Amino acid sequence: MPSLGTDGPLVGRETETARLAGMVEALGSTRGAVLEIAGDPGIGKTRLLGVLAELAERRGVRVARAHATRRGTAPFQVFRDAWGDRSGLCRFPATADGLGATPPPQRPLAVNGSLFHATRTLLADWAAEGEGGLLLLDDFHLCDEESAALAAQLIRTPVPGPFLLAMAHRPRQTPAALLEALDCGAQTGSVVRIELAPLDPGAVATLLESWRVGVGSSALPGMVSSGEALAGGGGSNGRLDSSAYAGPLYDASEGTPRSVRILVAAGWQPDGYPERPGADRDGLLREVAGLTAELDALTPDAATAADAAAVLGDLFCPADVAEVSGLGLDRTLVALAELSRGDVVRPLACGGQFVFRDRVLRHVAHERAEPCVRLSAHRRALELFTRRGASAAARARHAEHVLGADSTAALNVLAEGAAEVIAENPGTAARWLRLALHALPGQARNGPPRTTLMLACCRALSAAGRLEEARALAHELLRDPSNLPADLRLSTYAVCAGIERLLGRYEESEALARTALDRLPRPLPAQAAELAFQYGLVHLLRGTYQRARPTVREAVRAAAKTDDAAHMELRVLAACGDAYRGDLTAAAPEATQLAGLVDALPDARVARPPELLAMLGCSELYMERFSDASRHLRRGLTIASGGAQQRIMMHHQLWLSTLDQWTGRLDRAEHRAREAEGLARAIGADDAVGLAMTMRASAMMWARGRREAAEIVALAEQGARNTLPGRNWCVSSAAGLLAQIQLMNSDPSGCLRTLLEQGGGENLPLLQRPFRPSLLAMLSTAALQCCDVGAARRWARHADAAAEQLGLPVQQAYVHQARALLHVSDGEHDAAAKLFEQSSEAFRLAGMPVQHAWTLVTGARSAEAVHGPATALQWLDTAMFVSRTCGALRVREQGVRVRGKLGTRGSSRSSAAAMGPAELGLLTEREREIAQLAAAGRRSREIGEQLFLSPRTVETHLSRIYRKLDVSSRAALARILHHASVDH
């Protein structure tokens, strides 16, 4: 892979860049300053100094620069490097003669007064000859003592005139006297301090995209561009788009730009980390020049200790380093002291342990060590951890490195270690099992059988998301199933069926599971639990669970006798299947009991199988237990890991997006839908891509208002087209969402067409039964808007019957709403008002604020007809307040329209006036601040300078303000604020 270098845009540093620009501008007013850029290694200090130099040179400012090094031992070396022989300025002495009397060792050096004043005067004159002067001192923590002393005095007594002294340093390694001078200057205001924080995940994604464009996506292993993903290129096994890749890479790199670059160059993959930096060792070593220089500067003992520490892992103690390195404890302690002074390692606060300052540095130290040194160190570490009785996983980390030298001892360790880590790190488990299979002798007597290792490897590859590899290995096992022991044969069929399901090949998955189940005696043996689980799950996803229900129930009874784990998994599946079918009498008590059992289990147990929490949360959502569903789905999302878990995470995000929309968290619902869409594109799940797009459109419909209706409808229709024809929950869910969007945007005939075509006819038999009352109610409302009152009444009756059978309050509320609209059409406002009130109260009790507010707005005219204007206004005021809390602009728009049609005092107020002080409550404190400045005529750059924000950030805030207040210009914003101030 070509070197990524450091070229490309400076991302994530907009605020810092704006401050630098302001300092360069200030030089034109003959005001100088001292700039300190502080931060950890690799955080971007040098790059920011480069930006400062570029800004200065554009304005004609004179620039001199120097870079301190470990080998710069001559007095004033940094200043000599900056000036050279130019103009005879500041000819610093080659010895310390220019210093005052030699101070006691405990006191900092003091520069001779005449030398300091001469230097200060010459710097001021040099700057005054042009448009100003800039002296850049990089890595100043490495400077010689004389340079540090001179810099400290220049900080305490800055150079007058248009002169800027800028220095970048690592605070942990900077001399104390220099740190004291900088702290004093920062407190008095003579020093401008920029402390660089890690990049955020968004900046990492932008950085990745810039590299992808520069070197090509093929150079970035495992990553495709957002554009390629949109074009359908993200469906290959295990490939991620840059946004999906950025999140885990951010965690691995801790947001440090240099670490991001090194890991990408190393071919980093989420499932291999933190055990390995990536598969491309040469690529890693090409990108680590700065780190290599640090390690090369170590003494031999310190370098040996660093190599041993890198072998030991993230945490290490001196005694272990001493044994693995062979240095002995005394030499090891001296070596660790040197490593600590150089900030290569850092001591922990307690426990006598150390860590490398970051994991990337540890990997670099490990990979650059000589192979024979690494082998010896890992062998000693394996012996040490074996004597200590460490876990198999801890020993396997060393066994994989000694496999070629001692295969017999390492094989069992690798197999046991893989079994321990498969849930948390399936990529590592797969690698260890592949290595064990490769090293396994043809007739292994003391190790596990090859078939057992192959099946374990199938499971690990599947969990890691390497599905095609897993499928090939599983089919190799099934090439002659008669040679497999009975229990292993059943497990292999189950694993293979699960892999086909994860690949989206539902027919193949069902056929494999059914074929194996048909060959078993009846009643089913307990060993068939995993196979029955896969059979039931694929039918659940296809929307045909009724066909699998008898088999699942039989397997539940069989598993109850032997295996508690398999029993629970099957029970959760059965409860979810019953809830999907609308059989809440069976599902509700079972789900209640299972929730208690699952809540008591540790994360590691709940993570196996990974579908457990998704199924439980889904069943609770069907039963309108929203808080329970949210708790379990969020927990499942938190503990999901591994490549195949992308599909599980996708399901969690989809259901959580639904819950967030229902419970009034519209921004979060849209965000989760985007996350789910990215995950779906990464694994090539087109149906889920379409559903996620439609979910996003649904959240936007409530949050964005009518101005964006055309865009929202187009997005929903595109999402619905992405779902493939057939029976599965993605198709039916997308159909219901699209129909609602069509109905809300004045297309009732489109709503009818979508529901009837995708729902399978009059009673919508193909759509999810727990949601069928609300969908039938939607048909009734759409028919009413199409002036087909007879059809509207018919579907309302069907909805009533379906809701009564389910007994779910929210579904009943939707039916009440449709019934109320029928009464309105008949002029029966008394009956309508009662139903609107019942419906809105049911939504309120369920914690669904958007629907609560929408029902009040819809029913306000009936409330006016029955109870008078005061009650109608009270309904509208409540709706407006509730909709503000959840950002439902669509409800507020409708509320303003309805208020204008009521025959009430004050209804003639303009929309802008009506939306004055109340609407401003939607804005955050920062948004109100920006809104007031924008309304006063300030430009974005001026606002940014006043509030220390970049112009782009100001524009982003303004976009949100416009959307929340439903305005499109600064003039309209000014009118809103004017009305608000008048009302106040």
Side-chain angles (χ1 to χ4, degrees), residues 857-936:
V857 169
T858 306
R861 296 181 68 184
S862 292
E864 181 192 31
V866 176
H867 304 294
T871 300
L873 282 175
Q874 183 182 3
W875 282 28
L876 288 175
D877 288 343
T878 301
M880 297 296 272
F881 173 78
V882 171
S883 62
R884 280 196 298 272
T885 63
C886 54
L889 178 58
R890 184 62 176 268
V891 177
R892 297 200 303 278
E893 283 181 340
Q894 187 67 9
V896 170
R897 295 175 64 182
V898 171
R899 185 186 295 268
K901 294 179 181 179
L902 294 178
T904 60
R905 183 168 50 86
S907 64
S908 61
R909 292 180 67 196
S910 70
S911 173
M915 293 201 308
E919 295 302 89
L920 293 181
L922 289 171
L923 304 182
T924 65
E925 184 177 346
R926 174 65 84 186
E927 287 170 346
R928 284 196 297 272
E929 201 172 11
I930 291 171
Q932 289 164 356
L933 291 171

Side-chain angles (χ1 to χ4, degrees), residues 189-391:
S190 61
V191 172
V192 176
R193 172 173 290 168
I194 295 179
E195 296 183 84
L196 290 182
L199 300 178
D200 59 32
V204 171
T206 303
L207 196 59
L208 288 173
E209 191 67 14
S210 72
W211 288 338
R212 185 199 64 79
V213 172
V215 302
S217 61
S218 61
L220 302 183
M223 192 184 89
V224 297
S225 72
S226 300
E228 287 172 302
L230 286 170
S236 61
N237 193 18
R239 299 180 73 201
L240 304 173
D241 66 27
S242 55
S243 59
Y245 194 79
L249 181 57
Y250 163 79
D251 294 334
S253 66
E254 299 176 84
T256 302
R258 181 167 65 187
S259 295
V260 174
R261 190 178 71 250
I262 291 171
L263 289 174
V264 170
W268 178 86
Q269 286 293 330
D271 286 324
Y273 204 74
E275 301 305 324
R276 302 178 75 197
D280 188 352
R281 180 174 179 269
D282 292 339
L284 176 134
L285 295 178
R286 279 197 300 269
E287 295 289 338
V288 296
L291 298 180
T292 301
E294 282 190 69
L295 298 173
D296 286 343
L298 299 173
T299 62
D301 275 5
T304 301
D307 291 345
V311 162
L312 285 166
D314 289 333
L315 289 174
F316 52 90
C317 64
D320 289 350
V321 174
E323 181 161 348
V324 172
S325 66
L327 290 173
L329 186 58
D330 290 341
R331 289 170 64 188
T332 296
L333 291 173
V334 173
L336 288 175
E338 178 185 339
L339 293 172
S340 297
R341 286 194 301 273
D343 198 30
V344 175
V345 303
R346 296 173 179 175
L348 296 182
C350 58
Q353 292 183 310
F354 290 77
V355 294
F356 279 86
R357 71 166 180 252
D358 60 64
R359 276 177 168 166
V360 171
L361 178 58
R362 175 175 76 82
H363 285 300
V364 171
H366 183 271
E367 295 302 320
R368 70 187 293 274
E370 292 292 333
C372 58
V373 172
R374 275 204 311 272
L375 176 60
S376 297
H378 278 293
R379 176 179 280 177
R380 287 193 288 267
L382 180 57
E383 292 170 354
L384 170 66
F385 287 125
T386 301
R387 290 198 308 272
R388 190 175 289 169
S391 67

Side-chain angles (χ1 to χ4, degrees), residues 498-568:
I499 294 168
E500 297 288 6
R501 171 179 55 79
L502 289 171
L503 285 167
R505 301 168 181 167
Y506 291 165
E507 291 79 6
E508 291 89 336
S509 175
E510 179 194 351
L512 276 165
R514 186 180 64 248
T515 298
L517 285 167
D518 288 345
R519 294 174 180 172
L520 293 176
R522 292 298 191 271
L524 287 174
Q527 293 78 8
E530 184 181 9
L531 193 59
F533 178 83
Q534 293 295 342
Y535 181 67
L537 183 54
V538 73
H539 274 293
L540 182 63
L541 292 170
R542 295 183 71 189
T544 55
Y545 179 74
Q546 179 62 33
R547 289 162 53 185
R549 188 174 188 270
T551 300
V552 172
R553 285 292 177 188
E554 184 180 355
V556 167
R557 291 190 293 271
K561 303 172 184 177
T562 55
D563 189 345
D564 290 339
H567 186 218
M568 177 179 291

Side-chain angles (χ1 to χ4, degrees), residues 474-793:
H475 279 269
E476 184 180 340
L477 272 170
L478 289 175
R479 185 177 302 168
D480 190 359
S482 60
N483 291 334
L484 296 173
D487 57 340
L488 194 63
R489 183 165 62 249
L490 285 178
S491 295
T492 304
Y493 271 109
V495 168
C496 197
I499 294 168
E500 297 288 6
R501 171 179 55 79
L502 289 171
L503 285 167
R505 301 168 181 167
Y506 291 165
E507 291 79 6
E508 291 89 336
S509 175
E510 179 194 351
L512 276 165
R514 186 180 64 248
T515 298
L517 285 167
D518 288 345
R519 294 174 180 172
L520 293 176
R522 292 298 191 271
L524 287 174
Q527 293 78 8
E530 184 181 9
L531 193 59
F533 178 83
Q534 293 295 342
Y535 181 67
L537 183 54
V538 73
H539 274 293
L540 182 63
L541 292 170
R542 295 183 71 189
T544 55
Y545 179 74
Q546 179 62 33
R547 289 162 53 185
R549 188 174 188 270
T551 300
V552 172
R553 285 292 177 188
E554 184 180 355
V556 167
R557 291 190 293 271
K561 303 172 184 177
T562 55
D563 189 345
D564 290 339
H567 186 218
M568 177 179 291
E569 293 157 9
L570 282 165
R571 285 178 65 192
V572 171
L573 172 64
C576 187
D578 286 339
Y580 181 89
R581 295 175 56 252
D583 186 0
L584 303 188
T585 303
E590 184 74 343
T592 300
Q593 187 177 15
L594 288 167
L597 294 172
V598 167
D599 288 342
L601 291 175
D603 286 350
R605 172 62 190 85
V606 175
R608 292 176 290 181
E611 299 89 358
L612 188 76
L613 285 168
M615 291 188 301
L616 182 57
C618 177
S619 62
E620 290 165 332
L621 187 144
Y622 284 141
M623 291 181 282
E624 298 179 2
R625 300 177 180 180
F626 298 151
S627 60
D628 292 336
S630 179
R631 182 177 75 255
H632 291 131
L633 290 169
R634 284 187 286 107
R635 184 185 181 193
L637 188 62
T638 300
I639 64 179
S641 64
Q645 299 272 12
Q646 291 177 60
R647 189 174 294 272
I648 305 303
M649 292 166 64
M650 175 193 75
H651 286 300
H652 281 283
Q653 292 283 27
L654 286 171
W655 287 121
L656 284 168
S657 177
T658 299
L659 276 170
D660 285 337
Q661 184 179 151
W662 288 355
T663 54
R665 299 173 178 87
L666 298 177
D667 285 345
R668 199 163 71 183
E670 185 179 345
H671 173 74
R672 289 195 188 279
R674 285 187 182 276
E675 292 288 313
E677 184 180 340
L679 290 165
R681 291 189 187 281
I683 60 177
D686 292 337
D687 278 353
V689 169
L691 176 56
M693 293 171 68
T694 314
M695 283 185 169
R696 179 156 58 93
S698 182
M700 291 168 61
M701 176 188 68
W702 293 110
R704 303 292 178 86
R706 288 185 176 274
R707 270 193 309 121
E708 300 181 40
E711 172 191 342
I712 291 167
V713 171
L715 177 62
E717 289 175 343
Q718 182 185 355
R721 285 194 299 270
N722 267 25
T723 57
L724 301 175
R727 291 183 62 178
N728 66 62
W729 70 276
C730 283
V731 174
S732 59
S733 299
L737 291 170
L738 174 60
Q740 184 188 36
I741 291 168
Q742 290 169 324
L743 181 63
M744 290 284 292
N745 288 283
S746 305
D747 183 15
S749 60
C751 171
L752 289 170
R753 183 172 58 253
T754 297
L755 285 177
L756 293 174
E757 288 179 357
Q758 296 297 328
E762 184 85 3
N763 287 318
L764 309 181
L766 300 184
L767 301 186
Q768 291 130 306
R769 189 173 295 178
F771 303 149
R772 199 171 293 169
S774 59
L775 297 173
L776 289 166
M778 195 187 307
L779 280 176
S780 174
T781 302
L784 187 62
Q785 291 186 16
C786 291
C787 301
D788 189 349
V789 178
R793 295 187 191 283

